[in-house]
Amino acid sequence: MHGRLKVRTTEEERERKKKEQALKVKAYRAAMVKIQEKRLSHELDGEMLLLTSQILLRNPDVSTLWNIRRECAEQIVLKTEDLEEQQAIFETELNFSEQCLLVNPKSYNCWHHRCWILEHSPKPNWEREVQLCTKYLKMDERNFHTWDYRRYVVEKANIPKQSELDFCTEKIKVNFSNYSSWHHRSLLLPLLYPYEGEAQPKRAMSEEKLQNELEMVLTAAFTDPNDSSAWFYQRWLLGYSRQELDVCAFRCNNKHAMLAFTNPLILDAKDVAITNSEGTVIIKLTNWHSINKTKADNVWFFSLTDNAISYKEFPKEAFLEINRSDISLKKIILKTYKESLFYFKSPNQQHAFSKNVLNELQSQLESCESLLEYEPDSKWTLLTSALLMHAIDAQKYHNKSLENLEKLQKVDALRENYYKDLASRWILEKFLLNWMDSDAVPYELDLRSENLNALYYSQYLCIADKLLLPNNLTNYSSMKQLQGFSIFEY
Amino acid sequence: MDFTTFAKPSTVDTNNDKSNSDLHFWKHVEYIENHGKDQDDFEYCMTEFLRMSGIYWGVTALDIMNQLDRLDRKSIIDFIRRCQCPVTGGFAPCEGHDPHMLYTLSAIQILCIYDALNEIDCEAVVRYVSGLQQFDGSFFGDKWGEVDTRFSFCAVAILTLLGRMEGTINVERAVKFVMSCCNQTDGGFGSKPGAESHAGLIYCCVGFLSLTQSLHLLDIDKLGWWLCERQLTSGGLNGRPEKLPDVCYSWWVLSSLTIMGRLHWISADKLKEFILSCQDNETGGFADRTGNLPDIFHTLFGIGALSLLGFEGLKPINPTLCMPQYVIDRLGIKPQILPKP
Ligand SMILES: [Zn+2]
């Protein structure tokens, strides 16, 4: 159903083709009838293999016929205990499936048949399968069936990860534009060079290796700046990932408490408590509700009105304790504002890279900038330099990185709204960073003069009493987390 | 069996559009209706191994075009009943073939559209599907043991349509397995752990998470960016970086973006243009790409994508289940969909 060009043919040709096809249909039907008869009478013999092979060589998608061939193999294993004889049928199947792969290397059925045969074979030769993959990847280096199969047989054959990485490097050297190789690489590096530093979310690999990879991928990307494969890999290396699960905002007064997280989660009754400096539990906050009334949410609500505790009884030094295996910061010191306790941590505060990596990023930024002098409209260079600036020092380069995103809205108009949303995200990140240290926290949050196209991080805003949205975003004001903390009603 | 018995005689009024800037509505209706009228047609015969899905594609496309009555409901339901395996409870693509998860989903989808689940043994289907779940949460496609995230989607889609998700499979493990197929580099999914991200499998996994109310596990921005980068200058979408655009990938990327609330990250107008350019203005039907031969598979995904883009004259389609929305509403099903940021 894919890649069949519609060609104009003469009446004569059409007639000839029709006759040819009519014969094929007849042969197919006759073979299928015969196969089904034989299956009903349990004749799983050589003739059955021959009949099914005639159809499968043309059409490997007829999965029932592969099932029948496996029944034939099972039959022989049951009949004889002689391992050589058993091995013979498995060899036949391996040879046959390879013939089919030559015709159609993207057949799910065919690749799965090979897995099944080898799993059941008395003497599987996994190394041979690795070589087969190497051969098939030479013919088509993007065939994901071959890559999947390779990962499976490499594991079985106990091939060292380092030698797979070498294979991968060779493939990339032959052709930089190979997303499949980059992907394969991204699975191996974190295992071979694990990251042991402090940054959250964890970097993909050790900073030393990261530096090498950054160098390698930029060389690749600059070889053909219009090819996307290497740029995707580069963005991943820059630590492009959603935030670690963490508490980002909390507020509590006499009436209620609101607890916000970086990502949605399902909050459990035994997860949260307020403690004093000695670690004594003052109040256990057990009965949480998702404010959007969903299974998982990033803002949770708790009503204190039923509890016999008032704000006056809270300790001078109060802590929020979170007891969950997926959150690393367990004890959070709370601040006071009028008759309430609160906590706020602005989004995406990036952990600085090591000096060597930073130098590498800085020199990459310079390379991008000089490339942009020659090709000012190069999409990938514009985006990557914006991302580099954001990774090196988001504050310092704030305006400059936004200029790139604005330019991208024109250069890459298909994704105009993506760039607008990304800019909105960065603007709000900066705003919230400043808000965290201002006098207005948690009382007032005034976004009216910010140039926002979307409202990211809305859960961070749930602790503010007063929220002023830009005119173009007033339709967001109905969101539960933007009701204003003091007047919030569940 | 053949399609002839499914098609009612009709008097189709074909219009004479030459250009591809409009939807050749009646041509497509005719194309689907005639599909299989010639039972000796080579293509038709060679695709009998997926007949059940073929019928689902045709039935759904016609229903979206509000022309479902052109097919004969009774003969289709009779055919489906003949395809249910009395031993396992699963459905075969057609008589004489073996049951499989893929065709079981197609059969259930058609029955739901016809509001005819009572015509088959649903309990047997539930047993078949839950029996294929493995300890690690994954699903086999059939008893021969192929594991693939496509089958995880099929399993929860079937059980959701039957209203039997509760207590039949281990949902927690099923979610865990699907998430183990998520790639750190791009936030996408492949067919098994470690497999490269691919738009078709992303649709299956995002759809799976939508049906299990677990979309919070996705890295929406990372995956959304990779998906919107699938749009090429032609307006069409491809399935992986540096590949050609294709109407079926257009559906998979588009529906995933819709479920994730990021439809606005691509250009809907350019995509519409591309899909319309893949119509065959002589025979009707959609091809994978401009200038190629049409088939019924790409015809559904072309029509479906246009419906998702709000094309006039088409019934709304549900992005998770790829079925008319009114059918999903009638069943009282609410797959999760995320809002815009
Ligand atoms: Zn396609």
Side-chain angles (χ1 to χ4, degrees):
Chain A
M1 285 187 283
H2 285 108
R4 298 175 311 163
L5 198 70
K6 183 169 174 165
V7 277
R8 304 258 160 229
T9 46
T10 61
E11 191 64 35
E12 206 177 330
E13 272 175 289
R14 259 204 301 281
E15 273 311 305
R16 188 180 50 78
K17 199 164 176 204
K18 228 175 163 180
K19 272 185 192 147
E20 222 178 80
Q21 288 184 334
L23 286 176
K24 282 186 192 160
V25 166
K26 226 173 147 186
Y28 171 80
R29 291 243 166 91
M32 283 304 273
V33 167
K34 181 93 197 180
I35 288 167
Q36 277 153 11
E37 279 169 9
K38 283 175 73 78
R39 194 185 197 190
L40 281 175
S41 52
H42 303 285
E43 291 169 44
L44 299 165
D45 52 13
E47 191 193 23
M48 187 64 124
L49 290 179
L50 185 70
L51 286 166
T52 51
S53 72
Q54 284 162 353
I55 297 176
L56 286 174
L57 272 170
R58 287 212 181 89
N59 194 350
D61 293 327
V62 189
S63 51
T64 301
L65 300 183
W66 291 106
N67 299 347
I68 293 173
R69 290 184 78 93
R70 287 189 282 267
E71 286 169 2
C72 291
E74 283 180 334
Q75 176 94 343
I76 286 176
V77 172
L78 279 179
K79 268 190 186 153
T80 172
E81 288 191 358
D82 182 52
L83 286 185
E84 292 302 317
E85 232 174 284
Q86 288 189 8
Q87 186 63 25
I89 174 89
F90 291 110
E91 289 298 327
T92 309
E93 288 310 285
L94 284 180
N95 290 335
F96 174 67
S97 66
E98 195 174 344
Q99 263 178 285
C100 288
L101 284 177
L102 281 172
V103 182
N104 184 355
K106 292 182 178 173
S107 162
Y108 279 100
N109 281 320
C110 206
W111 287 105
H112 174 248
H113 190 65
R114 262 188 115 71
C115 296
W116 189 92
I117 290 297
L118 286 157
E119 291 284 357
H120 289 77
S121 154
K123 286 185 278 179
N125 182 346
W126 298 106
E127 285 81 10
R128 188 177 64 185
E129 297 305 300
V130 178
Q131 283 155 23
L132 177 107
C133 292
T134 305
K135 186 173 113 189
Y136 272 78
L137 287 175
K138 259 188 203 134
M139 294 190 271
D140 178 0
E141 58 188 11
R142 291 300 304 283
N143 186 340
F144 67 85
H145 298 275
T146 321
W147 281 105
D148 287 352
Y149 188 68
R150 184 180 181 94
R151 279 181 280 269
Y152 162 72
V153 294
V154 154
E155 188 89 14
K156 291 279 186 187
N158 279 318
I159 306 282
K161 296 214 157 39
Q162 185 61 50
S163 84
E164 266 307 275
L165 185 66
D166 295 342
F167 170 76
C168 214
T169 311
E170 283 311 306
K171 284 251 101 141
I172 290 173
K173 276 184 185 157
V174 175
N175 183 5
F176 283 138
S177 169
N178 186 344
Y179 194 84
S180 306
S181 295
W182 292 109
H183 165 73
H184 194 56
R185 206 173 172 76
S186 77
L187 299 172
L188 295 164
L189 287 167
L191 299 172
L192 282 166
Y193 307 94
Y195 175 73
E196 270 148 15
E198 304 275 291
Q200 294 285 352
K202 274 171 78 163
R203 307 232 191 279
M205 63 199 80
S206 74
E207 297 240 348
E208 200 185 354
K209 193 67 201 170
L210 189 63
Q211 193 191 339
N212 296 340
E213 287 298 296
L214 280 164
E215 274 173 50
M216 176 175 167
V217 78
L218 201 73
T219 316
F222 279 166
T223 308
D224 177 7
N226 292 320
D227 180 86
S228 64
S229 312
W231 294 113
F232 280 109
Y233 189 72
Q234 152 98 358
R235 190 166 185 185
W236 174 63
L237 291 176
L238 288 176
Y240 174 51
S241 192
R242 74 170 178 173
Q243 298 186 82
E244 279 297 285
L245 184 60
D246 202 356
V247 175
C248 60
F250 172 77
R251 197 165 166 201
C252 156
N253 65 9
N254 271 341
K255 290 200 201 95
H256 56 254
M258 204 93 90
L259 178 58
F261 296 89
T262 49
N263 302 319
L265 53 70
I266 302 163
L267 194 61
D268 203 69
K270 56 187 187 304
D271 290 348
V272 193
I274 291 179
T275 60
N276 63 18
S277 50
E278 280 103 58
T280 312
V281 174
I282 304 301
I283 177 169
K284 259 199 144 354
L285 306 177
T286 46
N287 196 17
W288 292 98
H289 303 277
S290 139
I291 67 157
N292 295 304
K293 299 190 165 81
T294 50
K295 183 173 126 189
D297 204 341
N298 50 20
V299 183
W300 292 79
F301 171 82
F302 178 88
S303 173
L304 279 129
T305 41
D306 324 328
N307 284 272
I309 187 161
S310 77
Y311 173 74
K312 299 203 171 54
E313 293 164 62
F314 285 132
K316 252 209 158 108
E317 239 193 339
F319 296 84
L320 184 70
E321 276 198 26
I322 306 279
N323 191 15
R324 282 176 72 100
S325 59
D326 51 2
I327 291 184
S328 50
L329 188 63
K330 308 280 186 206
K331 200 167 174 180
I332 294 162
I333 185 154
L334 299 173
K335 290 185 180 170
T336 319
Y337 172 78
K338 289 192 178 164
E339 299 229 316
S340 70
L341 297 170
F342 77 97
Y343 167 78
F344 184 78
K345 187 185 169 199
S346 70
N348 255 347
Q349 295 179 38
Q350 297 208 339
H351 199 278
F353 284 99
S354 73
K355 206 162 174 243
N356 287 342
V357 174
L358 264 183
N359 287 341
E360 175 62 30
L361 296 181
Q362 197 73 50
S363 88
Q364 297 207 347
L365 179 59
E366 280 156 29
S367 310
C368 283
E369 296 290 299
S370 44
L371 193 69
L372 283 172
E373 276 171 33
Y374 295 100
E375 289 178 56
D377 289 347
S378 163
K379 166 195 164 171
W380 289 102
T381 324
L382 276 168
L383 177 60
T384 303
S385 73
L387 297 171
L388 283 164
M389 289 188 255
H390 198 70
I392 296 167
D393 189 340
Q395 298 300 308
K396 181 177 152 194
Y397 291 112
H398 185 69
N399 291 336
K400 220 170 155 221
S401 56
L402 291 183
E403 275 168 31
N404 279 21
L405 293 186
E406 207 167 312
K407 183 139 197 212
L408 280 162
Q409 290 168 32
K410 295 192 187 72
V411 172
D412 187 21
L414 290 173
R415 281 160 283 274
E416 182 189 354
N417 287 322
Y418 172 73
Y419 300 115
K420 280 188 181 165
D421 282 5
L422 184 59
S424 303
R425 175 190 266 282
W426 287 357
I427 290 168
L428 200 58
E429 278 176 19
K430 184 170 192 285
F431 181 92
L432 291 175
L433 187 69
N434 294 334
W435 188 64
M436 185 167 75
D437 298 322
S438 74
D439 298 337
V441 65
Y443 171 66
E444 185 185 82
L445 216 145
D446 186 356
L447 292 166
R448 282 174 303 179
S449 55
E450 302 298 318
N451 183 15
L452 297 174
N453 186 59
L455 197 62
Y456 277 92
Y457 303 119
S458 59
Q459 77 269 33
Y460 285 72
L461 317 182
C462 72
I463 63 164
D465 289 315
K466 196 169 154 196
L467 199 77
L468 301 161
L469 292 172
N471 277 335
N472 62 324
L473 294 185
T474 42
N475 56 327
Y476 285 78
S477 58
S478 59
M479 284 175 87
K480 277 280 185 186
Q481 52 266 54
L482 308 183
Q483 303 291 293
F485 176 76
S486 306
I487 55 160
F488 182 84
E489 275 182 53
Y490 185 66
Chain B
M1 95 88 210
D2 64 83
F3 229 92
T4 327
T5 44
F6 301 158
K8 282 183 181 168
S10 66
T11 44
V12 174
D13 175 30
T14 48
N15 48 15
N16 295 319
D17 314 310
K18 284 281 178 285
S19 80
N20 261 347
S21 56
D22 288 320
L23 180 66
H24 299 301
F25 190 92
W26 294 109
K27 285 241 163 89
H28 299 314
V29 172
E30 193 183 9
Y31 176 80
I32 300 166
E33 200 181 342
N34 287 338
H35 182 73
K37 267 195 178 156
D38 173 12
Q39 54 180 300
D40 287 330
D41 177 68
F42 177 70
E43 283 305 322
Y44 186 73
C45 176
M46 288 303 144
T47 52
E48 76 166 19
F49 68 88
L50 50 68
R51 184 69 66 240
M52 189 66 78
S53 296
I55 298 172
Y56 154 71
W57 297 327
V59 164
T60 308
L62 281 182
D63 197 7
I64 293 294
M65 293 194 283
N66 205 14
Q67 299 293 319
L68 187 57
D69 59 357
R70 284 171 189 269
L71 299 179
D72 185 46
R73 180 181 189 271
K74 188 177 179 300
S75 56
I76 291 181
I77 291 172
D78 286 346
F79 167 75
I80 296 175
R81 288 164 57 115
R82 292 199 301 274
C83 289
Q84 185 168 26
C85 169
V87 183
T88 62
F91 285 83
C94 70
E95 287 157 282
H97 288 247
D98 294 346
H100 194 283
M101 190 83 96
L102 291 170
Y103 309 112
T104 305
L105 175 58
S106 295
I108 298 299
Q109 285 173 308
I110 304 164
L111 291 170
C112 285
I113 290 173
Y114 280 127
D115 201 6
L117 281 174
N118 59 328
E119 299 276 354
I120 56 137
D121 183 353
C122 291
E123 277 315 300
V125 179
V126 173
R127 275 198 303 277
Y128 178 70
V129 171
S130 56
L132 289 170
Q133 188 174 30
Q134 303 305 300
F135 183 75
D136 66 357
S138 67
F139 285 85
F140 284 176
D142 62 11
K143 66 168 185 166
W144 296 101
E146 190 183 1
V147 167
D148 193 306
T149 44
R150 283 180 299 156
F151 310 144
S152 295
F153 173 76
C154 291
V156 297
I158 293 165
L159 294 175
T160 302
L161 289 169
L162 295 177
R164 295 298 310 277
M165 274 276 275
E166 297 282 323
T168 48
I169 55 165
N170 187 327
V171 177
E172 202 182 322
R173 283 211 190 120
V175 171
K176 216 169 165 189
F177 174 78
V178 166
M179 288 313 294
S180 76
C181 301
C182 180
N183 291 310
Q184 288 310 304
T185 38
D186 47 37
F189 295 81
S191 61
K192 43 183 79 64
E196 180 183 341
S197 298
H198 175 288
L201 297 156
I202 289 173
Y203 163 74
C204 290
C205 294
V206 170
F208 170 95
L209 295 170
S210 157
L211 291 172
T212 52
Q213 311 290 316
S214 307
L215 289 175
H216 62 284
L217 298 172
L218 286 174
D219 189 336
I220 299 288
D221 283 293
K222 194 191 272 192
L223 176 55
W225 177 57
W226 189 86
L227 286 171
C228 78
E229 280 292 339
R230 300 301 105 243
Q231 189 164 37
L232 307 171
T233 35
S234 65
L237 307 171
N238 63 12
R240 293 190 287 157
E242 309 305 324
K243 291 279 184 182
L244 294 169
D246 184 326
V247 166
C248 69
Y249 290 114
S250 300
W251 163 263
W252 287 322
V253 175
L254 191 66
S255 54
S256 303
L257 283 172
T258 307
I259 294 168
M260 290 160 55
R262 299 295 186 276
L263 184 58
H264 62 296
W265 282 2
I266 59 165
S267 164
D269 288 342
K270 293 284 286 184
L271 177 56
K272 248 182 240 173
E273 245 173 66
F274 171 79
I275 294 172
L276 291 174
S277 81
C278 296
Q279 301 178 95
D280 190 313
N281 56 17
E282 290 165 350
T283 61
F286 289 75
D288 55 347
R289 270 189 280 292
T290 320
N292 282 357
L293 284 168
D295 61 67
I296 191 126
F297 172 79
H298 289 95
T299 303
L300 168 64
F301 292 124
I303 297 283
L306 291 175
S307 159
L308 217 48
L309 293 169
F311 206 89
E312 217 178 303
L314 299 176
K315 288 187 197 170
I317 193 164
N318 180 275
T320 305
L321 288 156
C322 194
M323 291 162 68
Q325 183 60 43
Y326 81 92
V327 175
I328 304 304
D329 293 340
R330 185 169 68 201
L331 290 163
I333 298 168
K334 288 194 176 65
Q336 193 186 3
I337 288 191
L338 296 178
K340 252 175 86 166

